[in-house]
Amino acid sequence: MARYFDVHPQNPQRRIIGSVADSLRSGALVAYPTDSCYALGSRPGSREGIDRIRSIRALDDRHHFTLVCQNFAQLGQFVRIDNDVFRAVKAATPGRYTFILPATKEVPRRLLHPKKRTVGVRIPDHPVAQALLAELGEPLLSSTLLLPGEEEPMTQGWEIKDRLDHAVDIVLDAGDCGTEPTTVVDFSEGAPAVVRHGAGDPAPFE
């Protein structure tokens, strides 16, 4: 049965955030809010976390997982980024974008796209996600909480708790945070390619 925490969307309670971070360090899988919609998150090094996310979302091995980072300095540890791409990504973060970039050796192999050796990265503009990342001190391995066969992610924490009570360990509820996932921009070939139109304005990358 999942533990349920109701947190303030702008000023999340430090005690709760600390408890959730401790659980993540122990291998927990959490449903948490971002600036686009709710996501599933675990520690990047958790093989069980990856397997559980794949199971919940029915994902194949071609799915791009995302490393949700606290800031640009942290993001730069996990992806290779040249000057032109740096400026473009920097201008759009934090925000509702996921960027696909070549991964560094810091990224566990099981998170990489099997052929491209790339990984998704993003920096969310949401107080709860930011507080959790700051407390954890490392990125969250994440994937949009979009269930198989459904067109939109769930938007209410109580609904997530009800439907995924035995699939996740923690539900962190900060109220409705939208139904539109991030805009995904692929920089793996150098020039930007918008591969999913979402909450972030795609115009700067088209």
Side-chain angles (χ1 to χ4, degrees):
M1 181 176 293
R3 296 160 66 201
Y4 176 86
F5 296 101
D6 189 2
V7 293
H8 193 282
Q10 297 299 321
N11 298 291
Q13 301 91 319
R14 291 185 65 184
R15 177 185 58 80
I16 293 175
I17 295 299
S19 176
V20 174
D22 286 343
S23 295
L24 281 163
R25 294 186 189 104
S26 298
L29 179 64
V30 59
Y32 72 101
T34 76
D35 51 348
S36 59
C37 53
Y38 277 88
L40 296 167
S42 73
R43 291 189 67 197
S46 172
R47 181 183 297 274
E48 182 183 0
I50 297 171
D51 292 342
R52 291 172 70 185
I53 292 172
R54 286 192 192 279
S55 176
I56 291 169
R57 291 207 52 204
L59 300 172
D60 61 28
D61 62 2
R62 296 186 301 274
H63 177 75
H64 263 112
F65 281 102
T66 299
L67 291 174
V68 177
C69 301
Q70 181 188 0
N71 51 39
F72 208 86
Q74 191 178 72
L75 180 149
Q77 299 174 36
F78 297 95
V79 291
R80 300 197 305 274
I81 187 166
D82 64 27
N83 289 336
D84 290 340
V85 175
F86 175 93
R87 285 190 289 269
V89 173
K90 181 75 170 175
T93 55
R96 300 172 179 177
Y97 297 91
T98 297
F99 300 100
I100 297 173
L101 290 159
T104 68
K105 293 181 179 179
E106 298 295 319
V107 180
R109 290 186 62 185
R110 56 184 171 273
L111 301 188
L112 302 179
H113 187 283
K115 293 182 179 179
K116 297 182 178 181
R117 318 303 289 176
T118 50
V119 69
V121 287
R122 70 170 300 223
I123 302 172
D125 188 15
H126 192 287
V128 175
Q130 278 290 332
L132 184 57
L133 290 164
E135 183 69 26
L136 190 61
E138 64 178 335
L140 276 169
L141 163 68
S142 287
S143 186
T144 301
L145 211 176
L146 181 62
L147 298 182
E150 300 196 0
E151 295 183 0
E152 291 187 346
M154 288 178 282
T155 62
Q156 302 294 332
W158 63 264
E159 182 187 10
I160 297 169
K161 170 78 163 85
D162 185 55
R163 296 188 61 184
L164 296 179
D165 199 24
H166 297 287
V168 302
D169 300 306
I170 296 171
V171 176
L172 197 54
D173 186 356
D176 191 342
C177 58
T179 61
E180 199 168 14
T182 56
T183 291
V184 179
V185 184
D186 188 343
F187 275 106
S188 62
E189 302 297 329
V194 177
V195 296
R196 182 176 74 192
H197 289 75
D201 180 7
F205 304 102
E206 292 183 325

